[in-house]
Amino acid sequence: MVWTVAGLYLSAIVLLHLPAVQGFLARKTAGAAGRKLGTEVRVGRIDLGVFNRFVLDDVLIYDQQKKRMLSASRIGAKVDLWHLLRTGEIDISSAQVFGLKADFYKTDRNARPNFQFALDSLASKDTTAHTPLHLSINSLVVRHGSIRYDRLDAPRTPGRLNPDHIDVRGLSGHLILRRLEDTAVRAVLRTLAFREAAGLEVRQLGFSLEADRRHASLHGFRLETPASRIALKELSAGYRMKRGRPDGSTLHYAVRGFKATVTPADFAALLPALRPFTTACEASLEAQGTRRSLRIESLSVADRTLATQVRAKGRIRHLDTRPAWDISFTPLRISRPMILRIAQALRQPLPKPLESLGGIFYHGSFAHATGRYSAKGLLRTGAGDIRLTAAVQGKNVRASVR
């Protein structure tokens, strides 16, 4: 009996590695997938490992307009079939996608995207029952991918990121999905890198994410672009659910260990006005808040020469109605070159009162509540130093200067 099983096992291995068998299986797999999706599917070759491993080469899926929609030079996965049969949970020990190329589009604002038919074909036809989601992927690797999406009637914006025209290339990443359920997710993005045609380049993105129906936390966030490094130790949030989604009125959150070296020009694809700002600055932040308030425990932003510097702490209240704040600066320093660059970025002439002031230094407080603005501190400019105590409400001004 043992020799019979061993012989069948070896025979299966040999057969599955014969080109004729692999081609036959590829045609059968493509035909089944095409019938399921309702479109043409091609598979060049399929290599089936015994029990739980498969590799698909030269995969191509067309949309319903007979245009190439999705292709990959190789897709491989290893699935724990025994766990699936025993529990109904999908456990993928490893998966790889190489040479991914996705071309998505929709003709206008109200049209269905060209991939919607595929989502519809995979959705359950039984709307009266719900099958709980249980999915884990111990390792998902993507290499040399590209994703393009266009809304064909929307104007293009060269040099600026546009959600209607996305062109991502050089996409590579490594994801560990420890658990994905209806009510919880645990995932680790070890690395993600890509270039977007508008000019945004991400060389490294990584983080750990955990979320359920009461809490969410982001740990070890790191982002690297050509001239910027951003790190965040932890972003945590607590909330209650209402009608199946987090209730904003119960939200409370905290930002811990934010540190960054940022060259604003790296993000000009998001905001073109940042393009002139090519000097790196250092930033750090510790804060916590709710939907209605924000407490800044410490904020620091400075260029490397300290010619421009912001150190502050304070509180902002009534964010959802009429914001009020009380901020202390220790100090706020803006150099004249930075003032000129800000005016250039805003495409506004420099206000005449600022033309002869040179740089600005302020050490003190600035507050606002119910339409009343107040400031108290030391103001130093090219025109001299003053100790200022002032309050403005409407047309009423009270000030003491010495």
Side-chain angles (χ1 to χ4, degrees):
M1 181 64 179
V2 173
W3 291 107
T4 301
V5 173
L8 291 173
Y9 180 82
L10 292 173
S11 298
I13 291 177
V14 172
L15 286 172
L16 291 174
H17 283 80
L18 293 176
V21 174
Q22 292 176 338
F24 172 78
L25 292 174
R27 291 190 295 274
K28 289 296 184 182
T29 300
R35 288 189 294 274
K36 175 65 175 176
L37 296 175
T39 190
E40 181 181 357
V41 176
R42 297 181 184 178
V43 178
R45 187 179 75 92
I46 183 168
D47 180 5
L48 286 177
V50 178
F51 301 123
N52 62 355
R53 183 185 66 84
F54 70 86
V55 175
L56 305 178
D57 287 336
D58 301 324
V59 178
L60 175 59
I61 302 175
Y62 289 84
D63 64 19
Q64 293 186 316
Q65 284 69 47
K66 306 299 181 183
K67 296 181 179 180
R68 297 168 67 104
M69 182 182 74
L70 192 67
S71 64
S73 59
R74 171 162 289 191
I75 300 174
K78 190 174 182 180
V79 183
D80 190 339
L81 292 179
W82 173 246
H83 184 77
L84 174 62
L85 295 172
R86 183 167 52 87
T87 66
E89 300 178 358
I90 302 174
D91 185 358
I92 301 175
S93 59
S94 64
Q96 306 85 34
V97 181
F98 299 109
L100 171 71
K101 185 176 181 181
D103 289 290
F104 302 136
Y105 65 88
K106 64 178 184 178
T107 55
D108 57 59
R109 179 191 297 273
N110 300 316
R112 287 159 54 94
N114 69 324
F115 56 83
Q116 186 62 51
F117 76 95
L119 300 179
D120 293 342
S121 70
L122 298 174
S124 174
K125 303 300 187 291
D126 184 1
T127 59
T128 63
H130 173 67
T131 301
L133 174 63
H134 297 282
L135 173 64
S136 64
I137 304 176
N138 294 333
S139 176
L140 170 61
V141 175
V142 178
R143 292 285 183 269
H144 311 300
S146 66
I147 300 175
R148 183 168 182 168
Y149 168 78
D150 288 299
R151 204 187 90 192
L152 302 182
D153 69 326
R156 296 184 179 274
T157 55
R160 182 168 187 171
L161 198 64
N162 184 340
D164 290 325
H165 299 283
I166 298 172
D167 189 357
V168 172
R169 301 181 184 183
L171 177 67
S172 293
H174 182 196
L175 171 70
I176 298 173
L177 184 61
R178 301 195 188 281
R179 200 73 175 169
L180 177 61
E181 300 176 343
D182 290 333
T183 59
V185 60
R186 292 177 58 211
V188 178
L189 181 62
R190 289 202 179 278
T191 182
L192 178 66
F194 63 86
R195 301 184 308 277
E196 210 285 329
L200 179 64
E201 180 179 353
V202 173
R203 294 185 175 178
Q204 164 72 356
L205 174 63
F207 56 80
S208 297
L209 173 67
E210 296 186 19
D212 57 29
R213 294 179 64 84
R214 298 186 63 184
H215 304 93
S217 62
L218 186 73
H219 294 271
F221 177 91
R222 62 194 186 281
L223 171 65
E224 296 183 8
T225 61
S228 300
R229 306 289 184 271
I230 299 173
L232 174 63
K233 183 177 180 180
E234 180 183 14
L235 172 62
S236 60
Y239 44 81
R240 295 178 183 175
M241 302 295 288
K242 185 176 182 180
R243 298 191 182 99
R245 63 181 60 187
D247 182 1
S249 65
T250 66
L251 173 68
H252 56 90
Y253 60 89
V255 179
R256 299 296 178 216
F258 175 86
K259 294 183 178 180
T261 300
V262 177
T263 301
D266 277 3
F267 304 95
L270 303 174
L271 185 61
L274 297 176
R275 208 171 303 279
F277 297 89
T278 57
T279 302
C281 62
E282 308 286 338
S284 65
L285 173 67
E286 301 282 337
Q288 59 180 305
T290 68
R291 180 179 179 177
R292 302 187 71 245
S293 67
L294 170 64
R295 183 156 67 92
I296 302 171
E297 298 169 4
S298 67
L299 169 66
S300 175
V301 180
D303 64 20
R304 289 172 177 171
T305 66
L306 298 183
T308 297
Q309 181 185 22
V310 179
R311 292 180 59 191
K313 63 180 181 179
R315 186 168 184 176
I316 305 174
R317 296 172 286 117
H318 310 309
L319 286 168
D320 55 344
T321 53
R322 299 179 63 185
W325 61 82
D326 188 354
I327 308 295
S328 296
F329 295 99
T330 58
L332 167 63
R333 178 187 286 116
I334 307 177
S335 66
R336 180 168 177 78
M338 178 60 69
I339 293 174
L340 294 174
R341 280 199 294 270
I342 292 174
Q344 177 187 358
L346 296 175
R347 297 181 180 180
Q348 296 291 331
L350 192 66
K352 289 186 178 180
L354 295 180
E355 289 181 355
S356 60
L357 292 183
I360 296 174
F361 174 95
Y362 180 68
H363 191 294
S365 64
F366 178 52
H368 167 260
T370 60
R372 182 178 184 271
Y373 297 85
S374 61
K376 183 177 181 179
L378 171 65
L379 177 63
R380 179 178 297 153
T381 70
D385 299 354
I386 60 172
R387 291 199 172 274
L388 173 69
T389 301
V392 178
Q393 186 164 19
K395 296 182 179 180
N396 299 319
V397 179
R398 297 178 60 186
S400 172
V401 177
R402 59 186 177 89

